[in-house]
Amino acid sequence: MRLLLLASIASAIGAATTYAHAAAVHRTPVYRIGMSDTLSPDSLQLLYRQIDQLSVFDLKKVRESYIYRNRTQPSDQNKRILLYVEERIKGAQ
């Protein structure tokens, strides 16, 4: 009986530890640029400044994000942001 109790406690502790570790591993920062569909001119300038500070690798991720966004939510603003990101990529290479 004691052996069964010990085995169940060890199993519960192991499962709790595994769950806590799995939750901690996936806590990586997520960069979101441009939260809404329409940005004010001030917010748009802030977005352009944030884009200017990105590395080439991050620019490519933002480019893919805006390509998808242009497919799902086409707007002139999203097209302009995509063009700006593509120009920054060309300038960085």
Side-chain angles (χ1 to χ4, degrees):
M1 186 68 159
R2 287 183 181 168
L3 185 58
L4 182 60
L5 181 62
L6 182 62
S8 65
I9 289 174
S11 174
I13 290 172
T17 304
T18 302
Y19 175 75
H21 178 68
V25 169
H26 298 292
R27 290 186 186 161
T28 57
V30 175
Y31 301 104
R32 294 196 64 151
I33 298 178
M35 300 297 176
S36 67
D37 292 339
T38 56
L39 297 172
S40 68
D42 293 335
S43 297
L44 194 58
Q45 290 302 318
L46 179 63
L47 175 67
Y48 286 152
R49 276 187 254 140
Q50 289 175 345
I51 290 171
D52 289 340
Q53 296 174 354
L54 295 176
S55 67
V56 175
F57 179 73
D58 291 330
L59 283 171
K60 289 180 180 181
K61 288 194 292 187
V62 171
R63 179 180 175 268
E64 293 299 320
S65 170
Y66 273 96
I67 288 172
Y68 175 76
R69 195 174 291 185
N70 276 320
R71 278 191 218 133
T72 59
Q73 304 166 353
S75 72
D76 289 335
Q77 191 173 50
N78 286 342
K79 290 176 186 175
R80 283 185 280 146
I81 294 170
L82 178 61
L83 287 174
Y84 186 78
V85 170
E86 288 176 344
E87 289 298 319
R88 292 293 301 156
I89 290 173
K90 287 179 187 175
Q93 293 177 349

